[in-house]
Amino acid sequence: MVDSILFNIMLVGALGIFSQWIAWRFHFPAIVVMSIIGLLVGPLFGLLHPEDVFGDLFDPFVSIAVAIILFEGSLNLDFREIKGLGRPVGRIVTIGAFLAWLLGSLSAHYVAGLSWGVAFVIGGLFIVTGPTVILPLLRQAKLKPRPAKILKWEGIIVDPLGALLAVFAFEIIKFLKVEEATATVLLVFFLGSLFATLFGFLCGRGVGWMFEKGYVPEFLKSPVVFAVVILCFAVADEITHETGLLAVTAMGITLANMHISSIDDMRHFKENISVLLISTIFIMLTASLSVDTLLEIFHWQILVFVILMLFVVRPLSIWLSTIGTDLSWQEKTLVGWIAPRGIVALTVASYFASVLLDAGFEDAKILMSLTFALVFATVVVHGFSIRWTAEKLGLASDGQPGVLIVGGSTFSTALSKTLKELKIPVLITDSSWQRLLTTRKAGVPFYRGEILSEQTEYRLDLTPYEYMLAATELDSYNALVCTTFVPEIGRNNLFQLSLRNDRGDDLEELVHTIGGRVAFKEGATWESLNRKVESGYVFRKTNITQQYAYDQYLEERDDETIMLFVKKPSGSLEFFAHDSQTRAEAGDVIVSLMPPSKEFNRIREKLEKQRSDEKLEKDKEQKKQKEENE
């Protein structure tokens, strides 16, 4: 083992990001991969001992990281998002949290064998889920909007409440057990919690006001926000321990509901920082566990306690707290099942294990084993089951990745009909009813609204769509749409139609710096594609097999053919683009826009001549009638 702090920082960061990549590449829950890698390099092989290496810096670093993660999560809690869900969310984070605390404490006492005091402390702590674990799972599972919003709001709001309940229970224990403790201690705790909430609100309002008035330049806005978050957390936590999380949550919610454009611009940067922190902190915490702690989790009392928390406490608290709400039984079942515990549970449990032992509670020595058993069990079980459970309950988005087309036109409609025939989810969005006319007539799914509008985020569920094609007649608008959606969809899955070059300018450099990838082939502009569809070009689906290979297809295709995309047997799509060398393999389907056949042209010319003759004949009759009338 290398004792260099710099080397260990590098190792932790590299392992965390490697875990995220492995999870993405093989479709595993990221938290599960991070937990396993942390255990491998820590207690199992002894390659990393973060607490020994970082020393006194370990706990402050973890605390600040958790505060930043929680702030970033609360920055997404816009009250407009839970329109229609306010009642169930309110019930879950109040009545549901209280029931989970009570039932969890009873289980800890009667099953895990903890004393009443320690049981109520750990019962309060175990109500947390938190953004560190729930947000990665939601990104992976792709749930429908309602259950996803409920789980996200519960996780972020209950996270600081769980820590506060644990502190509250500990203060009650001291008041009842310790002679020198007085009612003043409880009063200070409540006042400290109230101060933390108010301080967080004022910090949020203050930062928002400075941004709105232009007192902070653009390049300093992100540093100012992070500095104030750390200030908010540290001040509140110094006054009353564990209230710092409440303060940063209040600050984040305040800023989220001020609807400041500058905060929206920084959100994706903060999300990237949050992913990095989650990755490193989870590696550090799991690597810090001892072999004795791991072995202790297999004690029958701990195992039975974990089973009760999974299958009784959580489902019962959700079902009871949501009585009388409009949640369906499927939504109650899913929300009642998914409750992974994460970083906050581990960090706060570590703190209380030491203070409870110092206070004379010998049974507190199993707190870390109990906590890690619940954290690891929930992360693994819920991480691997959330998608399957959601699909069985009808609460998951279609597994087939869909295509979102921006801009209604003849070409967009014809392409959408082809995608529908291949059972690929598709949606056309445009702000004009007129441009959506052909789409509406064709029965293709559409959304009338501005895709760049802030309201679209709350009215339109974009979860099923992994690909976007900006296909309007305005090149600049297409580029703007693609640039805006890079953080959500990723540049590899963002496409726009070929740029018009009417003036002969060299636009190649522009394509590489802004916007999405240029779709199809050079010259496939909005005008040319629509003109081809209107003149009779057809969308052709060609199966590539062992007998009919891709190279043979290329040799036989017409020069006028525009290859659009390849559908893989797995359901994924590969769009042809200027900057890619897309190839089709056996089992793939190539979709292309091809000229009509010669027979089709002959029939079309005959029909056009017939219509022309009929028009001439009609004009003659009208002229003759006019002469007779005169």
Side-chain angles (χ1 to χ4, degrees):
M1 181 189 122
V2 180
D3 292 330
S4 166
I5 293 180
L6 181 61
F7 178 82
N8 279 273
I9 291 174
M10 178 280 299
L11 181 61
V12 168
L15 289 173
I17 298 305
F18 176 69
S19 302
Q20 293 278 2
W21 183 84
I22 289 291
W24 166 79
R25 182 67 179 82
F26 297 101
H27 304 288
F28 291 152
I31 300 297
V32 175
V33 179
M34 288 186 286
S35 300
I36 293 173
I37 289 182
L39 292 175
L40 289 175
V41 299
L44 297 182
F45 293 112
L47 301 175
L48 183 65
H49 299 288
E51 284 187 315
D52 296 337
V53 173
F54 296 104
D56 293 339
L57 294 177
F58 181 82
D59 289 336
F61 176 74
V62 171
S63 297
I64 290 175
V66 172
I68 293 173
I69 294 167
L70 195 57
F71 168 76
E72 190 277 326
S74 62
L75 205 58
N76 294 309
L77 297 185
D78 192 320
F79 289 124
R80 294 174 298 182
E81 186 180 80
I82 55 168
K83 187 177 182 180
L85 290 174
R87 190 178 185 192
V89 169
R91 291 275 198 89
I92 290 171
V93 300
T94 53
I95 300 173
F98 177 78
L99 289 173
W101 180 26
L102 181 62
L103 294 173
S105 301
L106 292 173
S107 300
H109 176 70
Y110 287 109
V111 176
L114 297 177
S115 61
W116 279 114
V118 178
F120 272 98
V121 170
I122 205 67
L125 177 60
F126 283 167
I127 72 169
V128 303
T129 54
T132 60
V133 282
I134 199 64
L135 295 183
L137 288 188
L138 293 179
R139 280 195 292 267
Q140 166 217 346
K142 295 184 178 179
L143 306 182
K144 289 186 177 179
R146 279 173 59 95
K149 290 174 183 177
I150 292 171
L151 288 169
K152 182 179 81 171
W153 275 74
E154 182 207 6
I156 294 172
I157 293 177
V158 171
D159 221 27
L161 291 183
L164 284 177
L165 279 177
V167 175
F168 171 68
F170 180 65
E171 296 296 341
I172 291 292
I173 292 171
K174 288 198 300 184
F175 177 70
L176 296 176
K177 296 278 188 179
V178 183
E179 292 182 0
E180 60 269 20
T182 64
T184 306
V185 176
L186 289 179
L187 180 61
V188 169
F189 166 73
F190 287 116
L191 290 177
S193 302
L194 181 62
F195 168 79
T197 306
L198 181 61
F199 186 58
F201 170 78
L202 292 176
C203 286
R205 294 295 297 184
V207 170
W209 177 78
M210 291 173 66
F211 285 6
E212 286 180 323
K213 296 297 182 181
Y215 292 138
V216 180
E218 204 66 35
F219 74 95
L220 277 181
K221 286 183 176 178
S222 289
V224 165
V225 168
F226 279 110
V228 176
V229 168
I230 296 172
L231 169 72
C232 182
F233 171 77
V235 170
D237 214 58
E238 281 295 314
I239 293 175
T240 305
H241 195 66
E242 298 300 335
T243 60
L245 298 180
L246 182 63
V248 296
T249 303
M251 177 181 170
I253 294 176
T254 300
L255 279 172
N257 289 278
M258 291 180 71
H259 308 132
I260 303 170
S261 59
S262 300
I263 298 298
D264 292 333
D265 295 338
M266 290 187 293
R267 180 170 286 128
H268 301 301
F269 169 72
K270 291 190 289 295
E271 286 175 354
N272 293 336
I273 295 295
S274 181
V275 169
L276 179 62
L277 290 175
I278 290 172
S279 306
T280 55
I281 296 304
F282 228 93
I283 294 289
M284 290 174 65
L285 288 175
T286 51
S288 299
L289 297 170
S290 66
V291 176
D292 292 338
T293 299
L294 295 182
L295 294 176
E296 200 170 22
I297 68 175
F298 295 103
H299 193 278
W300 73 267
Q301 289 178 299
I302 293 180
L303 293 176
V304 174
F305 171 77
V306 170
I307 292 172
L308 279 176
M309 292 294 289
L310 283 170
F311 295 99
V312 178
V313 173
R314 171 66 179 184
L316 194 58
S317 62
I318 293 299
W319 276 83
L320 292 177
S321 64
T322 54
I323 292 175
T325 65
D326 63 345
L327 293 187
S328 64
W329 71 266
Q330 293 94 335
E331 290 170 331
K332 291 180 181 180
T333 302
L334 181 64
V335 174
W337 170 240
I338 302 301
R341 277 68 167 185
I343 291 175
V344 172
L346 284 173
T347 54
V348 180
S350 176
Y351 164 75
F352 277 112
S354 60
V355 298
L356 285 169
L357 282 171
D358 292 341
F361 294 91
E362 292 299 322
D363 53 336
K365 62 185 179 183
I366 71 165
L367 281 192
M368 284 308 296
S369 299
L370 196 68
T371 304
F372 182 72
L374 184 62
V375 168
F376 192 73
T378 55
V379 162
V380 171
V381 173
H382 295 156
F384 281 107
S385 67
I386 183 171
R387 178 70 188 180
W388 179 86
T389 306
E391 288 176 348
K392 293 299 181 183
L393 295 172
L395 297 176
S397 299
D398 194 332
Q400 169 69 54
V403 180
L404 180 65
I405 301 176
V406 181
S409 66
T410 306
F411 168 74
S412 297
T413 302
L415 175 60
S416 298
K417 290 173 67 177
T418 304
L419 289 166
K420 277 189 65 179
E421 291 170 3
L422 291 169
K423 301 188 184 307
I424 298 170
V426 63
L427 180 75
I428 296 179
T429 174
D430 202 304
S431 59
S432 167
W433 281 115
Q434 183 62 34
R435 288 192 291 268
L436 289 170
L437 181 61
T438 57
T439 303
R440 289 183 284 148
K441 287 182 178 179
V444 175
F446 68 91
Y447 170 78
R448 191 257 177 178
E450 174 54 62
I451 191 65
L452 297 177
S453 170
E454 188 180 3
Q455 297 299 322
T456 300
E457 182 181 350
Y458 306 109
R459 296 177 181 172
L460 182 62
D461 178 23
L462 299 179
T463 305
Y465 309 105
E466 293 189 14
Y467 308 92
M468 176 182 282
L469 173 64
T472 74
E473 65 271 34
L474 299 175
D475 295 333
S476 57
Y477 182 77
N478 292 340
L480 177 61
V481 168
C482 289
T483 302
T484 302
F485 281 89
V486 165
E488 285 86 0
I489 296 179
R491 193 174 294 277
N492 283 341
N493 292 346
L494 280 167
F495 301 89
Q496 65 183 87
L497 296 184
S498 180
L499 297 173
R500 292 176 296 176
N501 201 357
D502 301 333
R503 299 177 302 175
D505 298 333
D506 185 8
L507 298 177
E508 194 66 27
E509 185 177 347
L510 178 66
V511 173
H512 294 299
T513 56
I514 63 172
R517 302 167 65 191
V518 178
F520 317 137
K521 71 176 187 177
E522 187 176 356
T525 63
W526 184 88
E527 291 88 349
S528 65
L529 290 170
N530 280 282
R531 186 169 59 249
K532 290 179 186 298
V533 172
E534 290 166 0
S535 65
Y537 274 58
V538 294
F539 287 82
R540 188 72 49 82
K541 298 182 283 290
T542 306
N543 292 303
I544 301 300
T545 64
Q546 296 289 351
Q547 293 74 28
Y548 187 70
Y550 179 62
D551 291 334
Q552 184 179 351
Y553 166 81
L554 292 179
E555 291 175 4
E556 296 179 359
R557 72 185 178 95
D558 192 292
D559 291 339
E560 294 295 318
T561 296
I562 299 176
M563 294 187 293
L564 304 176
F565 63 87
V566 176
K567 182 186 179 186
K568 298 290 183 180
S570 63
S572 63
L573 305 179
E574 287 187 16
F575 281 82
F576 288 93
H578 286 193
D579 60 352
S580 68
Q581 298 294 327
T582 302
R583 287 189 60 84
E585 307 294 339
D588 295 347
V589 177
I590 298 179
V591 176
S592 56
L593 184 60
M594 303 182 69
S597 63
K598 292 181 180 179
E599 179 65 18
F600 177 87
N601 283 331
R602 188 184 65 79
I603 295 174
R604 187 183 63 182
E605 289 172 1
K606 181 179 179 181
L607 289 173
E608 289 178 352
K609 186 177 185 305
Q610 183 178 344
R611 282 196 294 267
S612 179
D613 292 343
E614 290 175 353
K615 187 175 184 303
L616 287 173
E617 190 66 30
K618 186 177 180 180
D619 289 343
K620 287 180 181 179
E621 291 180 1
Q622 289 178 345
K623 184 177 180 181
K624 181 179 179 182
Q625 185 68 36
K626 183 177 180 182
E627 290 174 351
E628 290 177 355
N629 292 337
E630 291 177 349

